[in-house]
Amino acid sequence: MRNFKYIWVFGLLITLAIIAIPLIIFLPGDVESNAQDPWDFVPVREPATNHVPLMPGPYETGTQVTQRCLECHAETAFEVMDTVHWTWKGDPVQVTGRPEPVEIGKRNVLNNFCIGIQSNWEGCTSCHAGYGWDSADFDFSDETRIDCLVCHDGTGSYVKGDSGYPLEGVDLAYVAQNVSAPNRETCGGCHFDGGGGNAVKHGDLDQHLINPSENTDIHMGGQDFLCTDCHRSQDHVISGRSITVSLNTEEGQVACRDCHSEDSHDDERLNTHTDSVACQTCHVPVGAVKDPTKMYWDWSTAGQDRPEDPHEYLKIKGSFVYEQDFVPEYYWYNGIQDRYLIGDTFDPSEPLIMNPLEGSINDPKARIMPFKVHRATQPYDTVHNYLLQPKTVGEGGFWTDFDWDQALRLGSQVVALDYSGEYGFAETWMYWPLTHMIAPGSDALQCNACHAEEGRLDWAALGYPGDPIEWGGRFATGRQP
Amino acid sequence: MKIRDLIRGHFTLTTLLITAALLAAGATFTVLNADASGASSLNTQASPLHPLFPLLDEDGQNVLDSGGAVSTMQTCGACHDAEFIQDHSYHSSQGIQDLTDPGDLPGSRAWDTSPGLFGRWSPIAYRYLTPIGDEIMDLGTPGWIMTYGPRHVGGGPAAYAPDGTPLDELEIVPGDPQTHIIDPDTGEMIAWDWQESGVVEMNCFLCHTTAPDNEARLDSLHTGDFRWANTATLLGSGIVSQVGDSYQWNPEAFDDLGNVKKEALTVQDPDNNNCAACHGLVHDDLSEPLTISGCDPASLRTVTTGQIISPQRLSDTGMNLYNKELLDRPWDVHADRLLSCTDCHYSLNNPVYAQESEESRPDHLLFDPRRLDLGEYLYQPLHQFARGQSAHNTVAPQLRDTMRRCDSCHSIEATHNWLPYKERHVEAISCETCHIPEMYSNALMQYDWTVITAESTGVNACRGIEGDPNSPGALITGFEPVLLPKENIDDETQLAPFNLVSTFYWVHGDPSRPVRLQDLESVFLADGAYKADIVIALDTDGDGQLSKAELILDSQTKVDLVTGKLEALGLDQVRIQGEIQPYSINHTVANGEWALSDCESCHSADSRITRTFQIATHLPGGVEPQFVGDSNTMPAGEFSRAKDGSLHFKADTGVQGLYVLGLDAVRWIDLLGGFVFLGVLMGVSVHGGMRVYNAARSKPEEYQLERVYMYGVYERLWHWLQTITIVGLLFTGLIIHKPDVFGLFSFRYVVLVHNILAAILVINAALALFYHLASGEIRQFVPRPYGFFDQAITQAKYYLGGIFKGEAHPFEKTPEKKLNPLQQITYFSILNVLLPLQVITGALMWGAQQWPGIANSLGGLPFLAPFHSLIAWLFAAFIVLHVYLTTTGHKPLTAIKAMVDGWDEVEKHSNSYDEEEA
C-alpha cells in the first residue's frame, strides 16, 4: 500500500470528502415550494405530418375527404364513432331517482338557450362532427360521414352549414392538405359560438380566445396553450365534461389539479382556502371578460314585429339581456349535478333549475364555484307541467311561421311527448361554470372581494353562520352540530 | 516533589478552568426566550346590539322637543360613563393635563407647553397656542379649536380650561388667551362669547357612526359654531338637515318614542374610515381606483410619511406611479388581509385584546383569563388606545409601546429559515426595515415658513414626485425611507425606516418663539397680494410675479430684508431656525416577494443603510436644520451640501455602533494587510527569480540523497485539510468583505460556506492538537532555547545568500527534527497565536448571534471584525511565503511531494550543525 504510486489520489479524495460532506449536509437547499412544476404535466404535442402530397384532391364533398382520410387512418373511424363529439350522447349513467340508467347528450336534452335539437337537426348539426345529420335517422354507424376537417382544419377557412355539410366556397382539397392538430380556432369554431353566436352561451368562451392576450386568459394568452393541452385526448376521446349535457362528470373531467398542486400558493393562508373554494372562484374574477354574454332570454316575447338588435331583441328568439364583466354567482358544487330530462314534470310557480348542482357546505368534496346563471322563459305544457321542445328550424318551424302552437305540436311529435294544446312560458335556470378566461395571478381576487361588508359571497345562502374570517372555516372545531 | 507540586497546581488550575467553562456554557444556555402566546382576537364589526336611544341636548331634553344641538355627553352619557370616557382619553385631553411653562418639557422646543396637540407647536400648521400669561397673542382657546379642532375629537381643551373650569364659565379677563381671539381684520384681541358659541363636547359620532359628515363638522368648527359641531357630524344621515345657518331635526328619522331609528343611525366600532378622518388616507373600496394629488399638508398624516392604508393593488390605482404595471402588490398587506386599525390600536381595557404586559405578568402565567366583563367595558371603555413608539408621536407619552408589535402576532421561526443569523438580524433591525423597503407614494420633504405664499401658507417640497405635485400628470417615483437607529422603550436600539421632514421658520426673542403668522402676513402681503418690495427682492426672473421657485431666501440680502421688516414690527433677535422631524414609517407593509430578501441590499458598498437621503432642496439663510430633541432617534451620520444648495444626509454605521459585513471595513487594516501581502509576493518573486538565475548559471552540486519517510498519514491529512479549509476561508472571507467585487456569488451561501469551513478547521485543529500533544510531536514545533538565535541566524543567512550559491542546507531534516528554527518560530506563531486568535474572533463574530453578551463585552463586531480581517491578511501573506519556501528542498517540488506521499529526499552532507554538536 505504501508504495502504490497513486495513493495520493486516495488521500485527496478523502480530504475533499471531509470538506464536502459537511457542506452538503449543512448548506440549505433552495427553499422548495411544495408546488410541483406544472409544466411536467402538460402533454407533449405531436409533431405535424405534411399532408400536401397525401391529399391530392380534388374533393367535391366532405365525405370524399373522409374516405381518403380513412384509407390511412382506418382505426380512427371507430375511435371517433365511440366519442360524444360523434354520438352527441353519453354513456348510460345511473341517476338516483330514476329507475333506468339514462344516456343523455346534446342529442336528446333540453336547455334554456335554443332549447333542443330534436326536430331542428339541419340547423343545429352545423356543429356536429359529421355530415348530413338532418333527421332522426342519421346513420351513426356510417364512418364516411365523419367530419375530420372540422377539428383538424389547419387553415381557418373550413366552415360548416346546415346539416353539417361544408359551405359552398370551402376549398376542401386545400383544407385537407393542411390538416393539423386541433387548435383554438377549430375548437372555438363551434364552442365559442354556442347558443347562436359569439360568446352567447358559456360566459367564459368567446372568439377573443383565438388570439387572447395574457390578461384575457393566462394559459391560452400568456402561454399559448391549445385547448388540447388541458382537454387531453387519447384515441379521440377528449377529456372534459360539460355539466349541461353530461351526467357522468366524475370521470374524464378536466381539473386545475391535473397540472397545478393545490398548495401552490406561497402564502399558507391561501393554500387553506383550497379545501372549500374552487380555484376558479379567485382566478376567474369576472365572467365575459371580452364580449358580452347572454344572461337572460325571454322566449315569450318572440314573434313580435319590433326593432331588432342581436343584443336586445330578435323576432325569432325574443328579448335578451347581455352582460359583460359580470360578477359570477357562487354555489357549492362537488362535480356532480342532476339534469332535467324531457318529460320530467316540474312546478311552474318556481323557477326550474335544469341542472341542479350537488354539493353543500357539509360535503367535503364540494367547493364554492363561480357560475354564470342563465335565466330564461321557455315554452312548457301547462296541463302536463313539462317543458316542450319546439320546432324552430325548417318548414312549420317557429322561425318560419311564428306559430308557437304549431311549433310545439310538431316538436312534441318528434320527441314523443303528449302535447295538450295549452302552452305557457316557465322560468328556467341553468348553471354554466366559469373556468376559462383565467386571469393572471396578479389579478386574482383579493381578500376584500369576499370577506368585506359588500363581499361577493352570501354567507348565509352558502350555509355559513357568518364570515369564516371571523367564524372559522366550515370544518372548524365546534362547528358540527 | 517538584513535579507533584506542579501537578497539584495544574490540577487546581485545570479544575477551575473546567468549572468556569461549564458555568459559562450553562449561562449561555439560559438565554432562550419563550414566546408568550397571544389571545385569539375577534374582529368586531358593526354591532347590531345597540339599543334605540333618543338624542338629548345639553339640558337633557330630547332634541325633537327643544330643537337644540345634540349633546353627546347627555345622549351617550345616558348609558355609557361619558365623563369617565372623556377624562380618560388622550384623544380628548391632548396634553391639557401636562401643560408646563414654555420649554420645560425635556427635549422640546423653547416654546412648547405640552407633548400633545394642545401645546406642542407644529411647524407645519404653524399657529402657536399662546400660553396663559403670555403677552403676544397668536391662538387663544377659541382660535385653537378653529385651527386644530378639525383634528381633535372634542372635550378636553375644547370644553374645559386647564384647571377644569368649563370654558363657558370663565370670566373674561383682558389679555387672557382662553377667552379672546384675534380679530382677523384688525389684528387686535377681542373677547369671545363662550355662552353663544358653546363648547365642543367629545364627538362620539365621529368615530362611532358609519358615515359621519366630517366636512360639515369642519365647517362648523371653522366658523366658531362650536356647539353645533357634533350635530353637523350627523348631517349625512338624514336625521338633521341644515337650513341656512340653522339646523332642523327630521322627525321622520325618529320613532314614536322619540328614539332615533336604527336605520338612520348605526352605532359601530370605529372602522378604518372613521380613523381616516384625522389619521391618514384609507381607501377601502377596491373597485374605485385611488387617486391622490399633491403634497398637501391638509392630509397631514399621509403626506408626512407617504403611507396609504388600502388593500388596493398599486397597479389598480389611478395614480401615475413609476413602473405601475409591475406593482401588483397591495398598498398595505394588513389592509389587504382585512385588519382594521383597532386590531392593533385597541382600547387598553378591551377585554378581548388587552393583555397584561410582559414585565408585570408573573412567569408562571402565559395568559390571564380574568378580565373585565363585556358589559362593564361597554360602560367605561378606556379611550386610551394602544400606541407604538413612533418618533413623531409625542402624544400620550405614558402610553408608549402599549401596542402589540409585529412579533405579537407573527413568528419568524417558521418563515425566515432562509435568513442566516436571523436572531441577530431581528435584534439589530426592526421588522419594518425589510418589510417596508419602499414607499410608493410621495411624501413631504420640507416646509418653509421663512416665506409665505399668497394664500398664507408655507412653501412645501415633496420627495418622490417629479413635476408639479398638483398636476395629475406628475410622475410619482416614491422614495426609499432612510434607516436610522431607533431607541426602543426597553433601551434597545434598532434600525428602523423614517421619513425626515425639515421645516424652516422665523423665531424671535429669548427665550425664542416662532414669529406669528399675522406678522409674516403683514411683512409679505398687503390685501392678499405680495408687497412691492418683496416682489422686487424675490423676483429673480423679472416677470413681476413670484412663482414657487422664487419664494426662497437664498441670499443675505433677502434674509436681511425680511429680518429688517420683522424687526420694524417690534420683534427682537429675529433669526431663522430649522428643524428636522423624523416620522416613523410602520404601515404600508409588504410581504412575500415584496419584502427585502436580497442580502446585498445592506451587505454591500451600496448599502441601503448608508444611502444619502435628501433633507432639503435649499437652506433659507444658509441655516442648517437640527434634529428635534424629543424623538427616539438620532442623526447618526453626516450632513452634506450638494452643489445646487440642497442638503443631504448619509448615515454612518460607525457612529451607530454597527459593523455591517460587506459594507464596513477599516481602511488602514485593508491597506496594511494588502501591503504586507503584496510585499511578500514581490519578495518571493525576486528571491525565486534569483535562485532560478543562479541555478541556470552554475552546475548543480551533487549530494548524496537519502529517501526518508518523513510525514505520517495523519500528519499529511491534517496538513492538507487545513490547507483547503484555510484557502476556502480566505476566499469566502474576501467575498464577504467585498461582496460588490465578487457579485457573482450569493452572499448568503458564501456566509454559510465560510461558517462550515470554519467549523471543519476548528475540529481539525483540535484533533491535531490532541495528536501532537499525545504523541509528543509537539516537541518539533518548540524551538530549543539554547542556541536558538545562532541557529536561526545561520538559517536566515542560508536563505539570504547561501541558497543562491547552491550551498547545502545548514540543517539536516530528519523525521525526528523536521523543522528548522525559522520554521519553528513561524509555525508556532501561526498555529498557536494567529490561528487561535482568528478562530476566537471568528467564533465571537458568529457568536454575536448566539451569545451577544460576550461578543459585545469584547467590543462587538466593530472591534472583532477588523481584527479578524487583519489576521486574514497575515494568513494570506503567510501562505504565499510558505508555499514558496517549500520549494527550497532538494528539488523545488521535493517537499511538496513529500507532504503528499510522505517520502522525502534528504541531502546527506557533513556540515549539519547536529553533527557539530554531536
Side-chain angles (χ1 to χ4, degrees):
Chain A
M1 197 64 159
R2 255 201 198 175
N3 294 321
F4 176 44
K5 191 174 170 200
Y6 291 104
I7 191 75
W8 63 270
V9 177
F10 193 53
L12 178 66
L13 287 175
I14 291 189
T15 312
L16 288 176
I18 295 178
I19 295 192
I21 289 173
L23 280 176
I24 292 170
I25 295 177
F26 291 105
L27 272 183
D30 273 323
V31 177
E32 293 279 331
S33 65
N34 33 12
Q36 66 222 24
D37 182 3
W39 284 107
D40 290 343
F41 298 88
V42 177
V44 176
R45 294 184 195 167
E46 305 280 342
T49 308
N50 184 7
H51 276 70
V52 171
L54 298 169
M55 309 289 282
Y59 301 106
E60 298 283 320
T61 65
T63 316
Q64 287 174 359
V65 177
T66 304
Q67 282 166 332
R68 173 72 188 119
C69 302
L70 292 179
E71 283 177 31
C72 297
H73 299 282
E75 74 293 347
T76 310
F78 303 103
E79 290 173 4
V80 171
M81 293 201 295
D82 225 9
T83 70
V84 291
H85 272 82
W86 172 253
T87 62
W88 279 26
K89 197 166 73 159
D91 288 333
V93 176
Q94 185 65 48
V95 179
T96 38
R98 293 189 195 274
E100 304 277 328
V102 288
E103 288 178 296
I104 62 152
K106 197 156 179 62
R107 200 200 295 206
N108 59 3
V109 290
L110 301 178
N111 64 26
N112 66 358
F113 280 88
C114 286
I115 303 178
I117 74 163
Q118 293 176 83
S119 76
N120 302 312
W121 296 278
E122 64 269 36
C124 301
T125 57
S126 58
C127 265
H128 179 236
Y131 302 117
W133 185 3
D134 54 8
S135 72
D137 308 317
F138 181 70
D139 183 2
F140 283 94
S141 64
D142 181 0
E143 69 267 19
T144 62
R145 291 192 166 275
I146 296 175
D147 181 351
C148 310
L149 299 177
V150 65
C151 296
H152 288 284
D153 168 31
T155 65
S157 66
Y158 181 78
V159 190
K160 285 157 69 83
D162 281 354
S163 304
Y165 292 114
L167 287 186
E168 279 296 315
V170 175
D171 181 352
L172 290 170
Y174 170 61
V175 175
Q177 285 163 4
N178 291 290
V179 289
S180 73
N183 53 44
R184 295 192 295 271
E185 202 169 350
T186 55
C187 306
C190 287
H191 289 284
F192 295 159
D193 296 339
N198 174 38
V200 169
K201 202 179 229 175
H202 289 261
D204 64 345
L205 291 174
D206 68 39
Q207 285 171 5
H208 278 90
L209 288 177
I210 297 176
N211 252 326
S213 70
E214 189 185 85
N215 287 329
T216 307
D217 184 285
I218 186 68
H219 297 106
M220 295 187 257
Q223 307 291 340
D224 198 27
F225 266 42
L226 302 177
C227 311
T228 45
D229 289 327
C230 294
H231 293 269
R232 296 162 203 188
S233 313
Q234 184 75 26
D235 299 338
H236 283 85
V237 175
I238 304 176
S239 68
R241 297 277 179 271
S242 166
I243 73 169
T244 48
V245 292
S246 309
L247 275 173
N248 57 332
T249 47
E250 281 192 283
E251 310 151 12
Q253 184 62 288
V254 178
C256 313
R257 254 182 289 111
D258 293 342
C259 295
H260 296 281
S261 91
E262 277 161 327
D263 300 333
S264 45
H265 306 95
D266 282 331
D267 186 295
E268 217 178 301
R269 184 62 85 187
L270 293 178
N271 284 338
T272 55
H273 278 69
T274 56
D275 286 336
S276 298
V277 178
C279 309
Q280 293 91 331
T281 302
C282 298
H283 288 282
V284 185
V286 286
V289 171
K290 282 297 188 183
D291 288 322
T293 189
K294 191 177 281 188
M295 301 299 284
Y296 181 70
W297 186 338
D298 188 354
W299 277 100
S300 66
T301 57
Q304 298 168 10
D305 286 309
R306 285 204 232 167
E308 289 196 326
D309 177 321
H311 289 111
E312 303 210 8
Y313 181 82
L314 289 174
K315 185 173 178 186
I316 52 170
K317 293 187 176 179
S319 35
F320 339 106
V321 173
Y322 276 78
E323 262 183 62
Q324 189 181 342
D325 287 327
F326 65 91
V327 173
E329 293 179 39
Y330 298 93
Y331 302 99
W332 287 106
Y333 178 54
N334 65 4
I336 309 176
Q337 65 293 329
D338 202 352
R339 190 68 169 85
Y340 174 89
L341 303 180
I342 293 182
D344 288 349
T345 57
F346 67 97
D347 175 5
S349 64
E350 301 273 326
L352 167 65
I353 298 179
M354 301 185 74
N355 57 347
L357 306 170
E358 288 201 15
S360 72
I361 191 173
N362 295 315
D363 179 352
K365 287 183 22 179
R367 301 284 185 275
I368 296 174
M369 180 90 177
F371 291 92
K372 163 188 164 176
V373 181
H374 181 244
R375 296 176 171 85
T377 56
Q378 64 192 92
Y380 79 107
D381 189 312
T382 50
V383 170
H384 295 295
N385 284 332
Y386 45 57
L387 291 181
L388 292 171
Q389 165 76 65
K391 180 174 174 59
T392 49
V393 174
E395 209 181 296
F398 183 78
W399 291 351
T400 323
D401 293 339
F402 300 101
D403 181 348
W404 274 120
D405 186 57
Q406 177 185 270
L408 293 170
R409 184 185 320 278
L410 290 174
S412 303
Q413 279 167 5
V414 167
V415 301
L417 265 186
D418 182 33
Y419 174 50
S420 69
E422 317 254 329
Y423 68 91
F425 289 88
E427 184 176 338
T428 58
W429 293 9
M430 270 192 102
Y431 295 111
W432 296 84
L434 297 178
T435 191
H436 303 92
M437 292 192 168
I438 298 175
S442 55
D443 289 340
L445 289 183
Q446 291 178 259
C447 316
N448 220 326
C450 297
H451 291 284
E453 291 272 323
E454 318 285 319
R456 292 173 172 224
L457 295 185
D458 182 347
W459 301 112
L462 287 168
Y464 287 98
D467 188 333
I469 221 179
E470 299 169 356
W471 281 84
R474 55 178 175 154
F475 299 123
T477 320
R479 287 286 311 281
Q480 308 307 318
Chain B
M1 194 189 67
K2 244 179 27 183
I3 293 176
R4 218 195 335 200
D5 283 346
L6 219 57
I7 289 174
R8 212 185 310 130
H10 271 155
F11 193 80
T12 321
L13 183 61
T14 318
T15 321
L16 273 173
L17 281 174
I18 291 175
T19 321
L22 284 174
L23 280 174
T28 50
F29 253 88
T30 54
V31 183
L32 286 174
N33 262 326
D35 275 345
S37 63
S40 63
S41 72
L42 282 177
N43 198 5
T44 44
Q45 298 268 3
S47 162
L49 269 182
H50 200 276
L52 298 172
F53 58 97
L55 295 181
L56 305 176
D57 66 13
E58 52 192 10
D59 302 316
Q61 274 203 303
N62 195 319
V63 295
L64 281 176
D65 300 327
S66 68
V70 65
S71 157
T72 46
M73 291 290 113
Q74 293 286 337
T75 307
C76 311
C79 295
H80 303 280
D81 190 345
E83 292 297 321
F84 175 88
I85 294 171
Q86 191 186 234
D87 287 340
H88 293 83
S89 170
Y90 213 93
H91 266 68
S92 181
S93 69
Q94 286 297 345
I96 195 176
Q97 71 276 27
D98 298 328
L99 276 177
T100 63
D101 286 331
D104 272 358
L105 289 164
S108 73
R109 303 178 197 91
W111 55 91
D112 285 336
T113 51
S114 94
L117 197 60
F118 192 73
R120 185 171 190 268
W121 184 70
S122 157
I124 300 176
Y126 201 68
R127 300 295 301 276
Y128 175 54
L129 177 69
T130 308
I132 300 172
D134 194 316
E135 286 151 5
I136 307 176
M137 169 81 162
D138 187 357
L139 277 185
T141 308
W144 185 88
I145 298 177
M146 288 186 197
T147 323
Y148 286 90
R151 297 191 61 238
H152 178 239
V153 299
Y160 298 93
D163 61 4
T165 320
L167 287 172
D168 49 8
E169 287 175 21
L170 286 176
E171 277 177 38
I172 312 262
V173 174
D176 180 8
Q178 293 175 105
T179 50
H180 288 78
I181 191 169
I182 299 264
D183 185 340
D185 300 320
T186 63
E188 297 297 316
M189 276 173 76
I190 54 174
W192 181 265
D193 187 352
W194 281 111
Q195 298 283 338
E196 194 200 320
S197 73
V199 300
V200 186
E201 288 180 345
M202 197 168 174
N203 189 346
C204 312
F205 304 132
L206 186 61
C207 302
H208 286 284
T209 58
T210 44
D213 190 344
N214 200 29
E215 293 293 318
R217 169 181 161 262
L218 296 187
D219 278 338
S220 185
L221 290 172
H222 285 316
T223 55
D225 200 6
F226 302 144
R227 180 179 283 111
W228 289 91
N230 292 1
T231 311
T233 318
L234 295 173
L235 270 177
S237 62
I239 302 175
V240 65
S241 54
Q242 195 168 20
V243 179
D245 274 340
S246 65
Y247 293 85
Q248 295 270 9
W249 294 101
N250 178 11
E252 300 295 307
F254 295 78
D255 66 13
D256 298 325
L257 298 168
N259 297 325
V260 183
K261 286 186 186 158
K262 195 158 266 184
E263 310 82 65
L265 191 64
T266 313
V267 176
Q268 63 169 32
D269 265 355
D271 65 21
N272 285 11
N273 289 306
N274 292 112
C275 305
C278 302
H279 285 283
L281 182 56
V282 164
H283 184 82
D284 269 350
D285 186 359
L286 278 185
S287 59
E288 196 184 301
L290 169 66
T291 49
I292 64 169
S293 68
C295 187
D296 183 6
S299 57
L300 192 71
R301 272 291 165 259
T302 310
V303 82
T304 48
T305 54
Q307 291 173 157
I308 295 177
I309 312 290
S310 171
Q312 189 167 70
R313 293 191 176 111
L314 273 70
S315 47
D316 291 339
T317 59
M319 293 158 66
N320 187 16
L321 301 171
Y322 178 68
N323 259 342
K324 191 167 151 186
E325 273 292 300
L326 302 174
L327 300 174
D328 58 359
R329 59 158 278 195
W331 283 102
D332 181 78
V333 70
H334 293 110
D336 183 35
R337 298 299 164 109
L338 298 170
L339 269 79
S340 57
C341 307
T342 49
D343 285 330
C344 295
H345 297 277
Y346 48 88
S347 158
L348 286 175
N349 69 342
N350 185 326
V352 175
Y353 288 88
Q355 258 190 288
E356 198 176 355
S357 82
E358 294 248 353
E359 282 76 46
S360 59
R361 185 161 24 93
D363 288 338
H364 63 267
L365 213 55
L366 282 177
F367 170 72
D368 189 343
R370 300 167 299 183
R371 38 200 56 232
L372 205 58
D373 179 77
L374 201 56
E376 289 171 335
Y377 167 66
L378 287 174
Y379 177 58
Q380 290 182 320
L382 271 182
H383 279 55
Q384 306 282 37
F385 305 115
R387 60 164 290 213
Q389 33 179 317
S390 49
H392 52 282
N393 266 331
T394 50
V395 297
Q398 69 275 24
L399 300 180
R400 284 193 95 96
D401 201 33
T402 42
M403 193 179 88
R404 293 190 295 210
R405 280 281 306 157
C406 316
D407 51 0
S408 312
C409 295
H410 293 285
S411 149
I412 59 162
E413 285 309 310
T415 47
H416 284 66
N417 282 327
W418 55 271
L419 181 65
Y421 295 85
K422 64 177 184 238
E423 284 87 9
R424 176 85 191 118
H425 279 90
V426 166
E427 194 191 313
I429 59 183
S430 62
C431 306
E432 290 89 331
T433 307
C434 294
H435 281 276
I436 312 180
E438 184 126 3
M439 305 301 290
Y440 291 95
S441 182
N442 53 303
L444 196 59
M445 176 162 59
Q446 74 187 47
Y447 208 70
D448 184 1
W449 279 102
T450 57
V451 278
I452 56 175
T453 64
E455 293 82 32
S456 294
T457 64
V459 180
N460 64 7
C462 256
R463 64 174 85 256
I465 188 165
E466 282 173 16
D468 175 13
N470 292 315
S471 123
L475 178 65
I476 301 176
T477 50
F479 66 98
E480 248 178 51
V482 65
L483 296 174
L484 292 175
K486 178 173 88 161
E487 203 177 300
N488 292 331
I489 203 151
D490 55 3
D491 290 333
E492 295 290 321
T493 313
Q494 280 181 326
L495 282 185
F498 294 89
N499 180 32
L500 300 176
V501 176
S502 58
T503 47
F504 301 93
Y505 43 87
W506 290 101
V507 297
H508 69 103
D510 181 20
S512 53
R513 54 193 298 146
V515 169
R516 298 179 301 170
L517 181 60
Q518 66 190 77
D519 294 331
L520 288 178
E521 283 172 336
S522 58
V523 162
F524 283 91
L525 304 173
D527 297 323
Y530 285 106
K531 287 191 168 155
D533 53 351
I534 295 288
V535 176
I536 293 170
L538 296 180
D539 186 9
T540 42
D541 64 2
D543 66 349
Q545 306 281 349
L546 288 182
S547 67
K548 190 172 166 190
E550 291 169 324
L551 292 173
I552 307 181
L553 297 182
D554 53 0
S555 76
Q556 195 55 43
T557 344
K558 295 179 190 173
V559 173
D560 289 339
L561 171 69
V562 181
T563 314
K565 293 180 73 130
L566 284 170
E567 284 172 344
L569 290 175
L571 307 175
D572 68 321
Q573 295 183 57
V574 172
R575 57 210 184 272
I576 296 178
Q577 193 167 305
E579 67 176 44
I580 301 176
Q581 171 74 56
Y583 285 88
S584 294
I585 296 180
N586 304 100
H587 306 86
T588 55
V589 175
N591 75 329
E593 48 160 351
W594 295 97
L596 276 186
S597 56
D598 180 27
C599 305
E600 272 92 332
S601 319
C602 294
H603 291 279
S604 67
D606 182 30
S607 167
R608 279 171 169 258
I609 301 175
T610 50
R611 286 214 188 123
T612 49
F613 190 75
Q614 187 171 12
I615 301 288
T617 56
H618 61 276
L619 296 183
V623 171
E624 290 210 355
Q626 303 296 317
F627 260 69
V628 296
D630 54 2
S631 74
N632 59 358
T633 182
M634 58 218 87
E638 284 167 0
F639 292 89
S640 62
R641 300 282 306 269
K643 282 206 206 73
D644 61 359
S646 58
L647 185 69
H648 297 264
F649 173 79
K650 188 176 159 77
D652 182 336
T653 45
V655 174
Q656 294 170 11
L658 286 181
Y659 185 96
V660 178
L661 294 172
L663 164 66
D664 291 317
V666 179
R667 267 214 97 193
W668 69 262
I669 286 182
D670 283 342
L671 282 173
L672 175 66
F675 184 67
V676 167
F677 180 78
L678 286 173
V680 167
L681 199 58
M682 274 197 328
V684 303
S685 312
V686 166
H687 196 269
M690 282 169 63
R691 278 172 60 203
V692 167
Y693 177 67
N694 284 309
R697 256 187 3 153
S698 57
K699 220 168 42 127
E701 297 280 346
E702 287 294 325
Y703 288 107
Q704 197 186 354
L705 288 178
E706 195 185 333
R707 204 166 129 79
V708 180
Y709 186 64
M710 194 65 70
Y711 302 109
V713 173
Y714 177 69
E715 231 176 324
R716 286 179 271 144
L717 177 67
W718 162 59
H719 176 267
W720 288 114
L721 201 52
Q722 195 160 259
T723 309
I724 297 179
T725 50
I726 289 184
V727 169
L729 285 167
L730 284 172
F731 183 58
T732 51
L734 187 58
I735 297 172
I736 294 171
H737 195 60
K738 294 273 175 242
D740 308 313
V741 179
F742 302 94
L744 170 66
F745 298 96
S746 150
F747 189 82
R748 179 161 71 93
Y749 271 103
V750 166
V751 166
L752 293 168
V753 168
H754 191 86
N755 290 351
I756 294 170
L757 289 176
I760 297 174
L761 177 65
V762 167
I763 296 172
N764 186 33
L767 289 173
L769 179 64
F770 173 75
Y771 161 74
H772 281 87
L773 287 172
S775 67
E777 284 287 297
I778 190 95
R779 283 192 307 260
Q780 301 237 13
F781 290 82
V782 180
R784 291 170 59 206
Y786 186 72
F788 168 73
F789 280 107
D790 289 333
Q791 291 167 6
I793 289 170
T794 313
Q795 188 71 30
K797 277 160 86 173
Y798 169 72
Y799 282 137
L800 292 172
I803 192 170
F804 304 117
K805 301 195 194 100
E807 276 174 24
H809 288 79
F811 158 70
E812 181 186 332
K813 188 175 175 187
T814 66
E816 290 73 37
K817 210 156 174 275
K818 300 173 203 168
L819 306 176
N820 67 50
L822 291 181
Q823 272 180 303
Q824 284 175 326
I825 195 68
T826 310
Y827 294 160
F828 191 79
S829 316
I830 289 279
L831 292 171
N832 294 298
V833 179
L834 284 191
L835 183 64
L837 273 178
Q838 193 70 334
V839 165
I840 290 171
T841 51
L844 285 174
M845 284 168 74
W846 178 70
Q849 151 122 331
Q850 315 299 115
W851 41 83
I854 299 182
N856 283 332
S857 66
L858 284 157
L861 277 176
F863 170 73
L864 294 169
F867 199 67
H868 197 78
S869 301
L870 177 63
I871 301 179
W873 280 113
L874 295 178
F875 260 101
F878 163 75
I879 286 183
V880 172
L881 192 60
H882 173 67
V883 172
Y884 173 69
L885 285 172
T886 59
T887 64
T888 57
H890 167 66
K891 286 218 178 89
L893 293 177
T894 310
I896 296 175
K897 196 174 108 7
M899 189 47 88
V900 172
D901 67 16
W903 290 93
D904 202 350
E905 286 177 344
V906 183
E907 300 157 358
K908 276 214 107 29
H909 45 70
S910 59
N911 58 345
S912 124
Y913 36 63
D914 273 350
E915 279 190 11
E916 276 174 18
E917 282 176 8

